[in-house]
Amino acid sequence: MSAAQLEAFDLQHSFHETRVVDQVSVTLRPGHLAVVLGPNGSGKTTLLRILSGVLRPAKGNVALAGQPIEKLSRREVARKLAVVPQDTQVPFPFLAREIVAMGRAPSLGPLGRESASDERIVDDALASLGVTELADRSFPTLSGGEKQRVVLARALAQRTDLMLLDEPTAHMDLGHRVHTFEWLTAWIAAAPDIRAALVVTHDLTLAARYADEVLLMHAGRLVAQGSAAEVLTRERIAEVYRVQVQIEHDDQGRPYVIAVRSEIG
Amino acid sequence: MKRPYLLPTLLGLVGVAAMVSLAIGSAEHPTQEIVLGIRLPRVILGACVGAGLATAGALLQALLQNPLADPFVLGISGGAALGGVLALALGWTLGLGPMSVPFFAFAGALIATVLLYTIAGAGGRAPAHSLLLTGVVFNAFASSVIIFLTTAVDLSRVAGMFLYLIGTIRVVDPWVIAVVFALLLFGLGVGMYYAYALNLLAQGDETAAHLGVDVVRVRRVILFATALMIGASVAVSGLIAFVGLIVPHVLRLILGSDHRVLVPSCALVGAAFLMLADTLARTVLAPTEIPVGALTALIGGPVFLVLLRRDLNRWVR
């Protein structure tokens, strides 16, 4: 097994005496696109913050490339692991290109001087996410979906082996949502023995379509883990999301979920 | 503006501002003694104060991810003012002579910063809004203590305290000028060294951490450097409002948000701005001097509101 890998064992964390992450163990294998599903408040974002090392869990440990993540400097972590946060608000008028160029930060000196090769990496990242024409726009003026694509380009420019993404397609239209998942699978497929990604999303159908592995969270716990077909059953979705669904399968046996009726309230 | 032309342009601006400030004054035929002995120290000091306030404002805004953050809002200027007033009211000198009031002002700025930390703080992991709120409350507290002191102490000292607070560039001991200049250079150096880290910090604490910044350490260093610059500025000029708010804001609109350009530009434009403002303040009603702090507030307040309105329009689209 390759070195660049993320492993978390028996994580536990509480906010104000409420368990938000409870007995969660995760292994991110090279070549895999893992998708974390679960209703609002089920602990997905907290799990991601713990995995990225910005939140120390009350119990359990996270290892990045075989080393405890808290023993690594933020810079060392940032060279191995790119994070796309749920919501990016920048209160200053940075250009989209400047935002993407910040992905080079972990590889630059303290003054942040970019070389020609850094500029090329930034250009490639902009092109790869289809945001080249937004490069000279002020980031705060972009739409939600455009911002998310720019931040994805920043993560790509970081040139890491691992990516953690928190609802990266939440504000995107259908075309860009599908494109983002295609882009992510292609990114992993280009170096399947080292690259891997973990995505939090609410889109069950896209998750089932692209995930190598699905993790379903409910009330801080990992209630199911496996292939989309194994995890996404009618009973389990009804229990976790409180919604009646119908599940169909495509010609490759991948499930897709059709909502029928809410059972909330 | 293209980057190669920026530095010469701004240096030229500072030079012109300095020449104008030296040439203009209440004396119709200024002697060499007036120009070099009275105007020059004041022009140098004005430049230092303007540069210090504008740079400190830019650093604080990035650090708190808030374009409206400012030495005053955070109570750091208030702390410096309180320190200086305490020294004046109670006659504390510590045998420092002309350095005593500046020393206590700096101590006040540092204490305000440390308080900001320990109260709002969790050792530097404070969210921005808790820092801002603590600053507002600390400001109110500092003003109350100052008002209490002005009513409680001997009347002969009140005039001195009032003059200290109203925001004028005082001609002080050359040693004080040297110390202020050194502190400013140090703060500016720190700000420029961390300018790229400030770009990342302006994206939010967690994003900065994801991009490899040791957020806690950078915050500590920047807050300390800011306290130095603000303490030094307030010590020799009292409370001069809006320079730390408006100069970075205007420059960000013209030059963009990259702090590697913004921080040194703020220092130079802040210096030129306050030199000219001070010249205006001491000549417009000559021989009476207007406090330059009142003048910057008079110009700065409306300008800021206009900028804010335009900014809001742009953001709301």
Side-chain angles (χ1 to χ4, degrees), chain B residues 283-300:
Chain B
T283 53
V284 73
L285 286 183
T288 309
E289 273 190 25
I290 315 170
V292 67
L295 194 73
T296 59
L298 222 58
I299 306 167

Side-chain angles (χ1 to χ4, degrees), chain A residues 130-154:
Chain A
V131 287
T132 306
E133 71 278 14
L134 303 179
D136 292 322
R137 293 264 306 274
S138 171
F139 186 79
T141 65
L142 301 179
S143 78
E146 288 171 337
K147 281 181 187 165
Q148 287 188 312
R149 284 151 64 204
V150 169
V151 175
L152 284 168
R154 181 183 72 201

Side-chain angles (χ1 to χ4, degrees), chain A residues 85-133:
Chain A
Q86 199 173 71
D87 209 9
T88 301
Q89 299 295 342
V90 181
F92 302 105
F94 282 102
L95 303 179
R97 193 196 157 78
E98 291 178 305
I99 300 282
V100 176
M102 288 181 200
R104 298 307 302 148
S107 313
L108 302 177
L111 303 182
R113 194 162 300 153
E114 290 147 20
S115 69
S117 91
D118 290 315
E119 302 216 353
R120 209 163 46 243
I121 290 171
V122 172
D123 287 337
D124 290 349
L126 285 163
S128 179
L129 269 302
V131 287
T132 306
E133 71 278 14

